[in-house]
Amino acid sequence: MSEEKFYFQTEAAELLKMMINSVYSNRDIFLRELISNASDALDKRRIESLKNTELAENLKPEIKITADKDKKILTVSDNGIGMDHDDLINYLGTIAKSGTKEFLQAAKSGENPQNLIGQFGVGFYSVFMVADKVEVTSRKLGSDETYIFTSDGSGSYTIATTETRPECGTDVKLFLREVSDDNKNYADEWVIKGIVNKYSDFISWPVIFGDNVINSQKAIWQKPESEIKDDDYKEFYKHLTHDWRDPLMHIRINAEGSTNFKGLLFIPSVAPFDLFMNPESGGISLYINRVFIMNDCKYLIPDYMRFIRGVIDSEDLSLNISREILQEEPIIKVIRRSTQRKIFNELKKLLENDREKYIKFWTIFGKIFKEGFINDREHAKNIAEISIFRSTHDDGWTTLEEYKSRMKPDQKGIYCLAGRDDLAALKASPKLELFAQKGFEVLLMTDPVDEVILNQANFILNPDEIKLLNIAQNDITPNTDDEIKNIDEQLKNIEPEFKNLKGLVLKILGEKLEDVKPSLSLVNSLACLREPKNAMSLQMENILRMAGQDVPVQKRILELNVSHPVIKKLMELAKNNNDNENLNDIISIIYDQALILEGARIDDPAEFVKRLNNLMEKVL
Ligand code: ADP
């Protein structure tokens, strides 16, 4: 095959330009990136050779660095999985990583790219910070063909066949820039050794320079805690996850007893874009006696902890265990339980000792974590213990225990209101008014999952211990039994007076409503909407609609505040059969108001505005 010329995908080309013009101070990271890629390639080859033992013959995995100090040439080679013609185009000619896209977005939005490179890391392209030309020679496992990818980073690259590599794997050959601003010669033995020591020491494959292995290869989770610096954890996390930001925290597990295993887990400090989609860099990696077995081993951790990254290394599993039966393997189940327990404990400690950090954690991952209430009822109590919520108490967060400590002596339970993700809007809900007036605290729940939790609260949690009361239901009120009786009486008395207004409202809004009822549980608002028992909430309806589901329109009950002067006046007008031409507009507006306060869309905004303007014209 003769040489083919390609152009980098637009985004890739933009990134390359930034790399070439980079004055980023920490260029050393390019070598970390290359070694990390080589290490991944060796992991992938190992997995293939587990499936097909023939491929394992004569396998002597290594990462080899060669350098010519005078000619300023540096090569990083591996005998890993390798890349074929299409891989070179797909992996090196385009950007697949969402992290890199985020990087570009941030750079475009005015952030100085130089500050961003270190935060995001940009993988293979970082070589262009130090090299003005790169040649990648690669032969893919199972193929006889070797390809060479050449680029100077200026928008295009070429691919051609070349002399067959003796074994599968990849050589990345860098022609280092003649003049380097930082005066470092990256082909110098000491520079190389320094970088490997700093960033790649824990890589589990040998990194060879000259004839020596220059990394300790010591798995960080196997080392005693006293030997590990905080930076080591951070570097390891970055290698493992391809995330470029420091993790929020790490958790070490050292389980000894009936089952022996070690673990090193991390909680990221930002929710990766691809949290749910990228198993490549995701989840927990399983090792058996320091040998990498698989990424994203789902059985090691419950689904609602899926944002946790890390490594678990078991001494008790057999190396040739088949992936298919992993889930059923009793040892895996034991590991899972004890890992889960450890995570609960560590999060509890964090909540007790570093509230600020905990809030950061919860703001990012709380909504995922709370899925556990629904999926893991067995541990609902543990989850409840470390769940925090916003509330009407103050602007901060509260645990359920803290809420309980503030409860009034005769309070019936923990009052909760779930709604849209906008806290400020939820705080404006008419349903809170009476609770606020009477000095009762209400938890404000803004995650979609909260609604489901509230609906099933009594099944999830033991109501004798934690009783969550959803104040969206009209039988949940802050009133005492005596008050309730009294109010019921008042409402009954008002019934005849209310009848005419009800008839009028139904005539105007008829098909939109399930019913119209007088209410004494509102303070300032004129009206609110409630779901009939067992009906879907507006919030839920919105969620399902947004998810593209065909949801039938749920009719709601319109409650009118009969202690409010406006409603009182309306009752009077309706009673006297007063054919006030404004009534139609006013009633429609009251209904739309209730929808707005509920965070729902009004049916016809133009009509709403027209009615409002009509009234204004009359008043002025
Ligand atoms: P990342 O490693 O974060 O995915 P890179 O830009 O460093 O991003 O690499 C892009 C892709 O190129 C890798 O995901 C991998 O599939 C492929 N790749 C890079 N280096 C190698 C290598 N030495 N051997 C095999 N594949 C490689």
Side-chain angles (χ1 to χ4, degrees):
M1 186 185 78
S2 60
E3 190 178 274
E4 293 176 281
K5 185 171 177 180
F6 299 90
Y7 291 90
F8 283 105
Q9 167 209 31
T10 326
E11 279 166 326
E14 281 174 49
L15 189 59
L16 283 165
K17 217 157 141 193
M18 280 184 208
M19 290 304 114
I20 289 171
N21 300 321
S22 160
V23 290
Y24 178 59
S25 54
N26 186 10
R27 294 172 180 202
D28 296 1
I29 58 159
F30 84 91
L31 189 54
R32 166 183 82 184
E33 302 295 307
L34 293 184
I35 292 176
S36 195
N37 283 347
S39 166
D40 288 350
L42 288 168
D43 285 343
K44 286 180 192 156
R45 181 169 180 197
R46 211 192 139 267
I47 289 171
E48 288 306 312
S49 64
L50 280 179
K51 291 184 207 152
N52 179 350
T53 44
E54 259 174 50
L55 296 173
E57 272 172 43
N58 300 325
L59 180 60
K60 193 169 161 274
E62 59 185 26
I63 300 165
K64 199 165 187 150
I65 302 179
T66 43
D68 185 327
K69 192 174 165 185
D70 298 329
K71 288 196 182 131
K72 299 198 88 177
I73 292 175
L74 173 72
T75 310
V76 177
S77 304
D78 65 72
N79 50 356
I81 189 99
M83 287 174 277
D84 60 18
H85 178 267
D86 292 354
D87 290 342
L88 287 168
I89 297 173
N90 292 332
Y91 297 148
L92 302 186
T94 43
I95 295 180
K97 275 192 308 178
S98 59
T100 316
K101 287 184 181 153
E102 278 178 70
F103 166 83
L104 278 172
Q105 233 158 34
K108 274 185 203 159
S109 70
E111 281 270 358
N112 179 355
Q114 309 311 335
N115 299 335
L116 292 170
I117 294 170
Q119 277 175 45
F120 285 87
V122 285
F124 172 76
Y125 293 148
S126 59
V127 298
F128 289 106
M129 293 196 292
V130 298
D132 39 32
K133 183 174 149 194
V134 56
E135 280 175 11
V136 179
T137 310
S138 197
R139 175 176 165 191
K140 190 166 182 165
L141 179 68
S143 158
D144 294 332
E145 271 154 27
T146 302
Y147 293 93
I148 180 163
F149 163 109
T150 310
S151 179
D152 61 3
S154 66
S156 67
Y157 59 93
T158 58
I159 294 180
T161 42
T162 185
E163 193 187 328
T164 308
R165 225 179 162 272
E167 196 187 356
C168 70
T170 305
D171 310 294
V172 180
K173 186 172 183 183
L174 307 184
F175 298 85
L176 297 166
R177 288 191 196 172
E178 203 44 56
V179 199
S180 143
D181 326 334
D182 53 9
N183 268 329
K184 260 190 199 165
N185 184 344
Y186 286 105
D188 179 282
E189 175 178 354
W190 297 107
V191 173
I192 294 166
K193 283 185 174 166
I195 300 176
V196 171
N197 187 299
K198 184 164 174 201
Y199 293 110
S200 310
D201 192 58
F202 52 78
I203 294 283
S204 58
W205 307 105
V207 178
I208 295 172
F209 185 84
D211 285 323
N212 304 318
V213 177
I214 57 171
N215 61 331
S216 77
Q217 290 178 66
K218 201 152 179 208
I220 180 169
W221 60 89
Q222 295 283 357
K223 288 189 186 171
E225 216 164 337
S226 57
E227 275 178 30
I228 309 175
K229 295 189 294 286
D230 212 35
D231 277 350
D232 298 336
Y233 286 121
K234 290 180 187 163
E235 281 309 324
F236 177 69
Y237 168 78
K238 292 174 187 178
H239 162 72
L240 188 75
T241 60
H242 300 215
D243 182 1
W244 306 101
R245 289 140 296 202
D246 292 341
L248 194 68
M249 70 182 281
H250 69 262
I251 297 172
R252 281 187 65 120
I253 308 176
N254 194 352
E256 279 169 356
S258 56
T259 301
N260 298 314
F261 72 96
K262 291 197 166 63
L264 176 57
L265 309 180
F266 295 92
I267 296 183
S269 58
V270 261
F273 257 3
D274 51 357
L275 183 56
F276 312 106
M277 293 169 283
N278 187 3
E280 278 285 310
S281 61
I284 311 283
S285 303
L286 175 65
Y287 282 67
I288 297 178
N289 276 318
R290 285 158 230 217
V291 178
F292 173 76
I293 303 296
M294 67 189 291
N295 269 327
D296 195 23
C297 182
K298 295 196 172 59
Y299 318 122
L300 292 173
I301 203 163
D303 201 39
Y304 61 95
M305 295 183 177
R306 61 186 175 275
F307 53 85
I308 293 180
R309 301 284 181 258
V311 166
I312 283 179
D313 188 352
S314 159
E315 287 178 25
D316 304 324
L317 287 164
S318 146
L319 259 180
N320 44 30
I321 185 168
S322 101
R323 287 168 171 231
E324 285 68 40
I325 64 150
L326 266 182
Q327 188 175 13
E328 295 310 316
E329 171 59 52
I331 295 175
I332 293 276
K333 288 184 179 164
V334 176
I335 294 178
R336 177 184 160 114
R337 283 195 86 82
S338 86
T339 302
Q340 186 175 9
R341 199 175 332 118
K342 179 80 179 175
I343 293 170
F344 280 134
N345 288 343
E346 290 296 312
L347 286 173
K348 202 169 160 198
K349 265 197 241 161
L350 184 69
L351 173 62
E352 279 158 11
N353 302 329
D354 190 344
R355 183 86 165 202
E356 205 177 310
K357 203 164 173 181
Y358 194 83
I359 290 173
K360 202 170 164 205
F361 154 71
W362 193 261
T363 320
I364 310 167
F365 300 113
K367 46 180 144 327
I368 301 173
F369 205 79
K370 278 186 288 184
E371 290 172 12
F373 276 120
I374 298 150
N375 302 331
D376 185 11
R377 300 218 166 147
E378 192 192 333
H379 292 98
K381 214 174 144 190
N382 304 73
I383 301 169
E385 247 176 24
I386 55 173
S387 289
I388 54 175
F389 301 90
R390 310 306 289 263
S391 100
T392 54
H393 172 64
D394 60 18
D395 286 337
W397 292 80
T398 180
T399 63
L400 294 175
E401 274 314 306
E402 288 160 357
Y403 179 104
K404 276 165 107 179
S405 73
R406 290 187 294 265
M407 268 168 50
K408 300 194 174 201
D410 51 354
Q411 191 173 332
K412 293 168 208 154
I414 298 178
Y415 294 124
C416 308
L417 181 63
R420 332 128 247 190
D421 19 299
D422 180 353
L423 188 68
L426 188 59
K427 276 185 178 164
S429 168
K431 288 167 190 149
L432 286 171
E433 287 172 352
L434 194 61
F435 289 84
Q437 196 188 48
K438 296 198 153 214
F440 284 100
E441 177 178 355
V442 179
L443 292 186
L444 302 172
M445 303 175 150
T446 51
D447 292 321
V449 62
D450 291 325
E451 190 115 26
V452 187
I453 296 171
L454 276 188
N455 285 341
Q456 307 181 17
N458 284 346
F459 303 105
I460 294 174
L461 296 160
N462 177 355
D464 289 335
E465 291 168 11
I466 302 173
K467 194 170 177 65
L468 300 182
L469 297 171
N470 183 1
I471 69 162
Q473 291 167 3
N474 73 343
D475 54 348
I476 304 293
T477 86
N479 296 321
T480 62
D481 291 347
D482 282 348
E483 284 169 327
I484 293 175
K485 235 161 105 190
N486 190 345
I487 288 170
D488 283 349
E489 201 125 305
Q490 285 183 51
L491 288 176
K492 214 170 181 172
N493 292 339
I494 235 164
E495 198 82 8
E497 256 181 282
F498 188 73
K499 216 175 77 200
N500 289 347
L501 179 59
K502 177 174 169 169
L504 188 64
V505 173
L506 283 175
K507 201 172 105 196
I508 295 169
L509 298 169
E511 76 284 13
K512 290 178 183 166
L513 295 176
E514 171 84 19
D515 200 358
V516 182
K517 285 184 175 165
S519 166
L520 286 167
S521 61
L522 298 170
V523 182
N524 298 316
S525 299
L526 295 179
C528 82
L529 285 163
R530 284 193 203 270
E531 285 84 43
K533 261 221 147 21
N534 302 326
M536 196 184 289
S537 73
L538 266 174
Q539 163 83 349
M540 204 53 165
E541 213 178 282
N542 283 345
I543 294 172
L544 292 177
R545 281 231 179 82
M546 273 186 321
Q549 298 210 29
D550 197 15
V551 196
V553 179
Q554 170 68 57
K555 290 187 179 178
R556 297 194 158 71
I557 299 167
L558 182 69
E559 288 189 2
L560 296 176
N561 181 359
V562 287
S563 65
H564 196 287
V566 170
I567 303 295
K568 279 185 179 159
K569 184 84 192 169
L570 286 178
M571 283 198 292
E572 206 181 297
L573 291 171
K575 196 168 102 196
N576 302 334
N577 259 335
N578 190 324
D579 211 1
N580 187 321
E581 53 177 39
N582 298 327
L583 277 183
N584 203 325
D585 283 345
I586 291 174
I587 286 168
S588 298
I589 290 173
I590 291 175
Y591 172 67
D592 284 345
Q593 268 186 14
L595 278 174
I596 291 171
L597 288 176
E598 202 65 41
R601 290 172 57 132
I602 53 181
D603 303 333
D604 189 346
E607 190 64 23
F608 172 74
V609 171
K610 210 171 94 193
R611 291 183 199 282
L612 208 55
N613 292 350
N614 266 348
L615 289 178
M616 283 192 228
E617 227 179 285
K618 279 170 191 154
V619 174
L620 292 175

